[in-house]
Amino acid sequence: MNIDVISISLVLLQQMCVYLVVAYLLSRTPLFIPLTHVTIRLPQKAACYVIFSLFCMMGTILGMPVIHAIANTPAIGAVLGGLLGGPAVGLAVGVTGGLHRYSLGGSFALAAALGIVAQGILGGLVHRHLIRRGKIKTLLDPVKAGLLTFIGVIIELIIDLLVAKPFWDTLHTVSLIAVPELIANSVGAAMFMVILLDRRELIERQSSVFSAKALKIAARADGVLRTGFNQENSMRVARIIYEETGVGAVAITDRERILAFIGIGDDHHVPGRPIISVQTKQAIANNQVLYADGNEEAYQCSIDPHCPLGSSLVIPLAGEDNSVIGAIKLYEPKTKLFSTINRALGEGIAKLLSSQILAGRYEQQKVLLAQSEIKLLHAQVNPHFLFNALNTISAVTCDDPEKARDLIGHLSTFFRKNLKRASEQASLADEIEHVSAYLQIELARFSDQLSVEIDIPDELRSVCLPAFSLQPVVENAIKHGTSQLLRPGLIRISARSDGHDLVLDVEDNAGLYERGPSGSGLGMNLVDRRIKNRYGNTYGVSVAHGRDVFTRVTIRVPLEVIPA
């Protein structure tokens, strides 16, 4: 009897090894990924059911006939299916495996089928118990899996004794297969779980490496291409990618030529040359990732037939409206294969660089727009203001030459301040000086029909705001306000702090403001939009008015001081 038990044990252990080899090979495929975590969602449960049902049936097929029974290992699939998938999956796997075993016939067919169903239910109940107690991590414990499968086999053997007939023959058969099945199934389940844990650790390790590389590249390359998608910046980015990924070579192109190349083959892959690679042209034209490994997809350097590079990955760089603006290319030499990490990383890098290029172009467009708006304000102010100023100076030249000289000085200051607006940022003191020069001309023009009050605390004079923000508002108050009055006009300009904000008020005593685009004036609209674009919608220009009494225009910006 001992010899028979040992023989059966050795056969089952051999079959278990075949079983585990198949499991190991499958674990290297995407099929096993859903099993590396406790399954919760329906697609994962479906994958769990299919895989463990197949292993359950395979355990029966690989079994060894013993008298009227089969010494086998389907308990591994049934128990683990329930343990990882839950009660529903465990029951489904058990029923599938049980029906398969029943179809093979024999006096143990029904008993064995019921035993497999019971094992699936056992795994599912333990799954539910551990989930409810918050011990989800212990579901992947190899020792727990082995112990649970040991119990599952005992349950199966008890069912054999209760169901299979005649009893004494059943007892004899069970005595032969009990120890081999207990050992093979328990060890097999534990080893199966070790394979799953190994696969999960490999995935997590690869993910960690991927994340670390991606973050490092993102940190080093941050902002480089924002200043322009050109040869100099592309070379800097290509070197960063080359150093961090360890690939054979890195190239960056626009749609027409090579902007950067670092690595093997840099003697003939020269920046500035036009693109002649078929793969690169196709990737740019069709906006698709192309991988030429030199085996399934032919790769040959289009410049030098003796080039040591043997494979390439071409990823398009996307611009506005998903249009292709260039490509990034990763190469490996003929002696090395592309790693999966670098292939996936390449696509992530392309998205990062595309975002940087788009952000850079957006910022450049914002700068150009702001400069255009300032020029528009200058164009709006200068012609008619210059005409009025010259007429005023001409009128006072004969009667008061000294005053005429002062007005020429103020006019010079006004236009000099206009010419110094390229930075888009000015201190409040600078803005007040600009406005004061403007107001001196207007005071001379309207003589005693206009007066001005300016109240600016000294501590607020260093606060910054978008350049050319105050003058258009003051001009609007005169042009559409006090200049229309028959009585003397008054302009008050004041500043105060409100929490973390600077608040500027420009008030006139005309009260002629009319709501709507035509009432607020082009200058005020541009000032409001520039402030909102820079600081957000909580800032900008607002207007309060009382008909024929006052109009108060309020400018609100963050309380930021210009660095010394």
Side-chain angles (χ1 to χ4, degrees):
M1 176 177 169
N2 289 335
I3 295 176
D4 291 337
V5 170
I6 293 173
S7 299
I8 296 171
S9 297
L10 290 175
V11 171
L12 280 188
L13 287 174
Q14 290 174 351
Q15 293 171 347
M16 181 199 72
C17 290
V18 173
Y19 185 96
L20 292 177
V21 167
V22 173
Y24 177 79
L25 293 175
L26 286 176
S27 73
R28 319 313 287 179
T29 70
L31 293 174
F32 252 53
I33 293 178
L35 306 184
T36 58
H37 299 277
V38 177
T39 54
I40 298 174
R41 298 178 181 175
L42 185 59
Q44 294 173 317
K45 288 182 179 293
C48 187
Y49 161 73
V50 171
I51 291 171
F52 282 114
S53 292
L54 292 175
F55 275 111
C56 190
M57 290 187 287
M58 186 173 69
T60 300
I61 293 171
L62 293 176
M64 174 185 178
V66 177
I67 309 178
H68 300 292
I70 300 176
N72 52 25
T73 57
I76 299 174
V79 173
L80 294 187
L83 187 62
L84 295 179
V89 174
L91 177 61
V93 171
V95 170
T96 303
L99 289 174
H100 174 258
R101 172 62 187 90
Y102 185 78
S103 68
L104 297 179
S107 58
F108 275 73
L110 178 59
L114 293 175
I116 295 172
V117 173
Q119 290 162 351
I121 294 173
L122 173 66
L125 292 176
V126 172
H127 170 101
R128 175 179 290 176
H129 173 72
L130 293 176
I131 290 291
R132 288 180 174 176
R133 295 188 62 183
K135 297 183 178 180
I136 189 169
K137 293 183 179 180
T138 63
L139 288 171
L140 294 171
D141 181 8
V143 175
K144 186 177 266 75
L147 180 60
L148 188 61
T149 307
F150 187 92
I151 296 172
V153 173
I154 291 178
I155 292 174
E156 178 194 349
L157 295 174
I158 292 173
I159 292 174
D160 287 341
L161 291 173
L162 293 175
V163 176
K165 304 297 180 182
F167 175 79
W168 295 110
D169 291 343
T170 301
L171 181 61
H172 175 64
T173 303
V174 168
S175 66
L176 292 175
I177 65 174
V179 173
E181 284 197 356
L182 286 168
I183 294 174
N185 281 280
S186 302
V187 174
M191 292 300 296
F192 195 108
M193 198 63 77
V194 169
I195 292 172
L196 287 182
L197 289 175
D198 178 68
R199 174 60 171 160
R200 186 174 75 168
E201 183 180 352
L202 177 63
I203 293 171
E204 290 177 349
R205 189 162 57 246
Q206 288 178 336
S207 177
S208 176
V209 171
F210 179 92
S211 299
K213 281 189 176 184
L215 288 173
K216 200 166 184 181
I217 291 171
R220 292 186 61 185
D222 182 40
V224 175
L225 291 178
R226 287 176 183 242
T227 57
F229 184 40
N230 52 41
Q231 188 167 319
E232 180 184 355
N233 291 340
S234 296
M235 284 293 291
R236 290 172 60 192
V237 172
R239 183 169 296 281
I240 291 170
I241 297 171
Y242 176 70
E243 291 173 355
E244 296 297 337
T245 60
V247 295
V250 176
I252 297 177
T253 76
D254 58 18
R255 291 187 63 90
E256 305 294 336
R257 60 193 178 95
I258 301 172
L259 297 179
F261 189 95
I262 302 287
I264 299 171
D266 58 5
D267 57 329
H268 55 277
H269 291 274
V270 180
R273 281 190 173 183
I275 299 170
I276 59 176
S277 165
V278 175
Q279 281 94 354
T280 306
K281 288 183 176 180
Q282 185 179 345
I284 291 174
N286 300 330
N287 192 11
Q288 66 179 128
V289 178
L290 289 181
Y291 173 54
D293 61 356
N295 184 23
E296 293 183 11
E297 182 69 29
Y299 172 79
Q300 176 60 55
C301 176
S302 53
I303 302 174
D304 184 353
H306 303 293
C307 178
L309 297 175
S311 55
S312 72
L313 177 67
V314 187
I315 311 111
L317 295 173
E320 295 89 347
D321 301 323
N322 206 33
S323 60
V324 178
I325 57 177
I328 178 172
K329 302 173 68 176
L330 306 183
Y331 298 90
E332 288 291 15
K334 295 175 181 177
T335 56
K336 185 179 178 182
L337 295 175
F338 253 106
S339 72
T340 303
I341 289 178
N342 283 338
R343 288 182 61 183
L345 188 60
E347 297 189 35
I349 293 170
K351 291 180 181 179
L352 168 69
L353 300 186
S354 296
S355 298
Q356 281 200 18
I357 294 169
L358 279 174
R361 290 185 173 182
Y362 175 69
E363 289 174 2
Q364 290 173 2
Q365 289 171 355
K366 282 184 66 178
V367 170
L368 291 174
L369 177 61
Q371 291 174 348
S372 298
E373 289 179 340
I374 291 175
K375 289 178 180 178
L376 178 60
L377 287 173
H378 288 172
Q380 180 198 21
V381 170
N382 294 347
H384 76 260
F385 172 70
L386 179 59
F387 177 78
N388 291 331
L390 291 176
N391 278 341
T392 301
I393 293 171
S394 175
V396 301
T397 298
C398 294
D399 298 332
D400 194 345
E402 185 68 26
K403 185 176 182 181
R405 282 194 294 271
D406 289 341
L407 290 176
I408 291 172
H410 291 311
L411 185 62
S412 173
T413 298
F414 175 80
F415 281 107
R416 187 174 66 251
K417 291 294 182 181
N418 273 13
L419 295 175
K420 293 182 178 180
R421 295 306 181 186
S423 66
E424 284 191 75
Q425 184 170 276
S427 67
L428 179 56
D430 195 44
E431 287 289 284
I432 291 297
E433 185 179 0
H434 184 218
V435 165
S436 296
Y438 168 80
L439 286 172
Q440 290 303 317
I441 305 294
E442 296 295 87
L443 286 169
R445 177 185 169 199
F446 290 103
S447 186
D448 56 356
Q449 287 297 107
L450 177 66
S451 58
V452 176
E453 297 177 3
I454 299 178
D455 179 16
I456 307 294
D458 291 339
E459 63 271 17
L460 296 179
R461 289 181 174 270
S462 59
V463 175
C464 67
L465 65 161
F468 211 62
S469 293
L470 188 56
Q471 193 277 337
V473 177
V474 174
E475 183 200 11
N476 200 72
I478 294 174
K479 182 179 179 181
H480 299 289
T482 58
S483 66
Q484 311 296 319
L485 293 177
L486 297 177
R487 66 180 187 274
L490 173 64
I491 301 292
R492 295 190 184 94
I493 302 173
S494 61
R496 55 189 167 86
S497 60
D498 181 14
H500 297 290
D501 297 341
L502 168 69
V503 178
L504 282 169
D505 289 323
V506 178
E507 183 176 330
D508 66 63
N509 65 336
L512 301 178
Y513 173 76
E514 295 180 4
R515 292 193 179 276
S518 59
S520 56
L522 174 62
M524 283 176 54
N525 283 334
L526 290 178
V527 169
D528 182 53
R529 187 162 71 247
R530 288 175 61 218
I531 292 174
K532 282 181 166 58
N533 286 341
R534 188 180 187 93
Y535 302 116
N537 290 331
T538 56
Y539 299 97
V541 176
S542 59
V543 181
H545 75 288
R547 186 66 184 173
D548 298 326
V549 179
F550 75 94
T551 298
R552 184 186 308 112
V553 177
T554 301
I555 301 173
R556 180 179 291 270
V557 296
L559 198 62
E560 298 177 354
V561 177
I562 290 184

